Amino acid sequence: MLKHVLVPLDGSQLAEEALDHAKNIVDPNGKITLVAAVDIPDVPLYGYYPAIATPDFEAATKEMLPQAKKYLEMVAKRIASGNLTISIDAQLGEPAEVITDAAQKFHVDAIVMSTHGRSGLGKWLFGSITNKVLGAKPCPVYVVPSKDKAKESGNDA
């Protein structure tokens, strides 16, 4: 069993699907670090979609970072059990960078993360945080597919 795993969360139910898997592979006396990346664009986003108004960076930081920490604290309380240590880390930055930096900073044994399972145009348009983390190779990465995707493909994962 692993001593320390990192689970990136973004507030979605999909991301939280990785929590059970993380608890299954970490030692009962081990540690899970929950990490959230608050990514605030610093320029308006244009393209195929209407322009998205960029919030004032400082105001957004003061509002969103505490919200992310509060969310992680709530999840930490929910999954706490036995001698398992749960810690949290919310950071400003691009999600893949925040995840890989946290994995290195905390010397985790593995990252356990969910994926939307996008392919083709969707992957090209939205990128893939999972692919970026896998490409950075900070440590072993366990990728948990979306339960909905598994049902679509006929697997009961």
Side-chain angles (χ1 to χ4, degrees):
M1 298 198 115
L2 302 173
K3 295 288 184 190
H4 189 185
V5 298
L6 182 112
V7 180
L9 297 174
D10 62 7
S12 70
Q13 185 176 352
L14 173 68
E16 290 185 20
E17 288 179 15
L19 293 168
D20 287 337
H21 295 278
K23 286 182 78 171
N24 286 335
I25 65 170
V26 72
D27 186 276
N29 296 312
K31 182 175 184 177
I32 295 176
T33 297
L34 307 175
V35 65
V38 177
D39 189 15
I40 303 167
D42 47 11
V43 295
L45 303 174
Y46 299 99
Y48 295 104
Y49 305 101
I52 298 170
T54 305
D56 175 42
F57 186 80
E58 268 189 53
T61 302
K62 287 180 184 177
E63 187 177 314
M64 294 175 75
L65 201 54
Q67 286 177 3
K69 288 179 182 176
K70 186 175 179 178
Y71 163 70
L72 292 178
E73 289 168 355
M74 179 191 69
V75 173
K77 286 179 187 174
R78 191 176 76 225
I79 68 167
S81 64
N83 292 330
L84 185 63
T85 302
I86 311 292
S87 64
I88 65 164
D89 185 44
Q91 297 293 322
L92 289 174
E94 191 276 323
E97 288 180 25
V98 169
I99 295 164
T100 56
D101 289 350
Q104 292 169 347
K105 178 171 81 173
F106 298 122
H107 307 287
V108 300
D109 298 318
I111 298 169
V112 181
M113 62 190 301
S114 297
T115 182
H116 288 278
R118 289 189 187 105
S119 61
L121 184 60
K123 187 175 180 180
W124 180 78
L125 284 173
F126 300 107
S128 172
I129 294 168
T130 305
N131 276 347
K132 290 176 186 174
V133 172
L134 287 167
K137 301 175 188 157
C139 60
V141 180
Y142 293 83
V143 180
V144 179
S146 162
K147 288 181 184 174
D148 291 337
K149 274 288 191 196
K151 286 178 188 174
E152 287 173 19
S153 67
N155 297 333
D156 291 330

